[in-house]
Amino acid sequence: MKASYIVAVAAALNLSLATNVTIIRPNDPFLPDNKLPPSHATSDGASIVQLFPNLGRSTTWKLISKTHFEGDTGEPEGMVRVGDDRFFVSAGQYTVATQKYTHPINGTDRSPGAGFAHMLIYDGQGRLIANATLTPPGDIEYHSGGIDYDGRYIWDAIAQYRPNTTATIVRIDPLTLQKEALFRTHDHNGGIVHDTITDDIVTLNWGGRNATTWSMKDYPQGFAPLPAFTEAKSSVPDPTFFVDYQDCKFLGHHALPSAMSARFGGLNPTRAIMFCGGVATIESSSSSFNLGGIALIDLQTMLPLWEVPISLTSDLGTSMTQNPIDIAVVDGKLRIYCLPDQHNSTLYVYEAA
Ligand SMILES: *[C@@H]1O[C@H](CO)[C@@H](O)[C@H](O)[C@H]1NC(C)=O
Ligand SMILES: *[C@@H]1O[C@H](CO)[C@@H](O)[C@H](O)[C@H]1NC(C)=O
Ligand SMILES: *[C@@H]1O[C@H](CO)[C@@H](O)[C@H](O)[C@H]1NC(C)=O
Ligand SMILES: *[C@@H]1O[C@H](CO)[C@@H](O)[C@H](O)[C@H]1NC(C)=O
Ligand SMILES: *[C@@H]1O[C@H](CO)[C@@H](O)[C@H](O)[C@H]1NC(C)=O
Ligand SMILES: *[C@@H]1O[C@H](CO)[C@@H](O)[C@H](O)[C@H]1NC(C)=O
């Protein structure tokens, strides 16, 4: 690691010392035994990729559990299941609503609004263990997005709550909930994953329309010192309009199972793969509904490798994949973990029968 990089990180750390953590259950550690469980890439990532082509429109999703998450969760945006008994949820608390402009101003379409980004820790029974405020009062970047856990850190993009604006890429230590701001992007970024094999960071912008790649290796002089912006290594548009991805997880680099590789003329190089969930709002002149879906995606090209619609809704009528989602293989079967509702949230766990 270059000295200039360390200086940039140290400067960011000073900013991050303001993270205020409220510990609700002092007898429950953030992580059991203070141990960092493995990421998907080093545990069930390969099995997720192998099992995914079994999924389709006719998959029966069997409800395994429904767990109420205590407290006002605001708007949950992303979630990582860290080990069997901890869920970290990035959540927005909005104190002033954004307002649509009549015409674009400064390249965006609405006023900044105001609020706070939080990181919440829950156990498997839905008990709140800690509630961190990640942004200071008055910060124009107060919107967290989808998050990813890489075996050491939780990655988050804290952005203005409006398209075509700015974001700061941070990583949060799950053992302390302290955040480290690494670099700033000249766009609204939401979903983020860390490819731990290439050390690339991939972020999705408003509506998941563009995937932008940042390399932790390709900035030998360090990221541009905050609050300046760092230029991306590359950016690709999402070539599909199925759903707008909200929350994604890096699964590792894998050759594709034959049902998937058949689509690529039999060529089957190892690919960087992520899992994502999201919704598309389908509007007609008379009505609108949210189509839910999950997918495996090639991280470099954004090509969908396998896409599956999800028609499940919460008891409150929200599309199951509207907000946070994670995935796991438990006893050889695929499970999804969804936290769709705002404010009064319930974790729904489904297994692909
Ligand atoms: C976390 O704290 C904020 C206030 O800082 C509060 O508005 C929010 O409801 C809390 N979240 C939960 C789940 O209790
Ligand atoms: C547009 O940007 C300019 C320059 O940064 C700023 O002074 C102005 O307040 C912005 N306008 C709005 C409505 O945000
Ligand atoms: C954001 O920028 C893109 C590309 O410059 C443009 O097509 C889009 O209309 C902008 N969105 C808004 C809401 O201003
Ligand atoms: C943490 O609390 C202190 C004191 O109330 C406040 O000055 C600071 O802005 C807060 N920081 C965050 C990130 O909420
Ligand atoms: C998305 O990326 C393309 C280049 O791949 C770029 O032309 C376009 O402006 C980007 N859109 C936004 C909103 O950043
Ligand atoms: C919270 O949501 C559950 C359904 O998930 C519902 O039964 C309950 O009445 C809701 N509680 C409040 C206070 O709205």
Side-chain angles (χ1 to χ4, degrees):
M1 209 183 277
K2 294 270 172 28
S4 52
Y5 174 76
I6 293 167
V7 170
V9 169
L13 266 171
N14 283 336
L15 296 174
S16 75
L17 294 177
T19 306
N20 288 329
V21 182
T22 304
I23 296 177
I24 288 104
R25 290 196 157 76
N27 296 329
D28 294 288
F30 291 178
L31 290 177
D33 304 322
N34 288 316
K35 277 211 185 99
L36 292 158
S39 64
H40 285 302
T42 58
S43 58
D44 58 3
S47 313
I48 293 169
V49 174
Q50 285 302 318
L51 289 170
F52 217 83
N54 298 336
L55 303 179
R57 261 190 216 162
S58 55
T59 298
T60 304
W61 292 97
K62 178 182 158 203
L63 181 66
I64 298 294
S65 62
K66 232 171 28 172
T67 307
H68 181 253
F69 273 15
E70 67 185 16
D72 178 350
T73 49
E75 180 171 19
E77 301 279 355
M79 176 173 72
V80 286
R81 178 173 172 268
V82 182
D84 293 338
D85 196 39
R86 289 294 183 271
F87 295 87
F88 288 68
V89 177
S90 63
Q93 175 198 2
Y94 307 131
T95 53
V96 178
T98 59
Q99 281 185 315
K100 275 276 177 90
Y101 296 141
T102 51
H103 55 90
I105 302 176
N106 289 349
T108 192
D109 68 354
R110 64 197 74 188
S111 65
F116 298 90
H118 293 280
M119 182 65 74
L120 309 169
I121 307 180
Y122 285 95
D123 70 9
Q125 284 71 57
R127 302 180 321 143
L128 182 64
I129 292 171
N131 180 354
T133 308
L134 300 176
T135 53
D139 195 332
I140 196 168
E141 292 176 346
Y142 60 84
H143 180 274
S144 274
I147 57 177
D148 190 27
Y149 168 68
D150 67 4
R152 178 64 192 89
Y153 293 104
I154 294 169
W155 290 81
D156 191 7
I158 302 183
Q160 294 189 40
Y161 193 11
R162 44 190 195 158
N164 296 354
T165 51
T166 65
T168 300
I169 306 306
V170 307
R171 61 185 186 191
I172 295 155
D173 187 337
L175 295 170
T176 61
L177 286 180
Q178 290 303 311
K179 87 170 187 217
E180 200 180 312
L182 291 179
F183 62 98
R184 270 188 105 207
T185 77
H186 215 306
D187 196 1
H188 168 99
N189 288 114
I192 186 167
V193 296
H194 181 203
D195 179 334
T196 46
I197 295 159
T198 58
D199 221 0
D200 281 347
I201 306 296
V202 178
T203 60
L204 300 179
N205 70 356
W206 191 268
R209 288 296 100 214
N210 270 12
T212 304
T213 300
W214 316 81
S215 171
M216 303 280 283
K217 280 188 189 146
D218 284 359
Y219 296 98
Q221 273 72 51
F223 298 110
L226 296 167
F229 297 104
T230 296
E231 286 306 317
K233 177 166 120 179
S234 61
S235 179
V236 288
D238 177 1
T240 164
F241 296 91
F242 167 47
V243 298
D244 295 346
Y245 306 128
Q246 162 72 24
D247 194 14
C248 302
K249 312 295 159 216
F250 176 65
L251 299 181
H253 289 205
H254 306 285
L256 303 183
S258 55
M260 284 184 200
S261 64
R263 298 174 164 189
F264 299 95
L267 290 175
N268 197 7
T270 298
R271 289 162 190 271
I273 300 175
M274 66 176 171
F275 162 76
C276 295
V279 296
T281 304
I282 310 291
E283 285 172 316
S284 73
S285 53
S286 55
S287 64
S288 104
F289 74 99
N290 279 337
L291 169 68
I294 57 175
L296 291 192
I297 296 144
D298 180 314
L299 208 53
Q300 276 178 346
T301 59
M302 283 303 282
L303 278 176
L305 302 171
W306 204 263
E307 297 172 304
V308 184
I310 299 284
S311 59
L312 302 164
T313 56
S314 75
D315 293 344
L316 299 175
T318 312
S319 169
M320 199 52 74
T321 59
Q322 170 105 25
N323 282 311
I325 190 163
D326 204 347
I327 188 165
V329 174
V330 177
D331 297 333
K333 292 195 168 171
L334 269 186
R335 284 190 180 182
I336 54 171
Y337 303 76
C338 306
L339 194 70
D341 298 308
Q342 297 188 28
H343 300 293
N344 169 24
S345 299
T346 297
L347 177 77
Y348 294 81
V349 182
Y350 287 94
E351 189 170 88

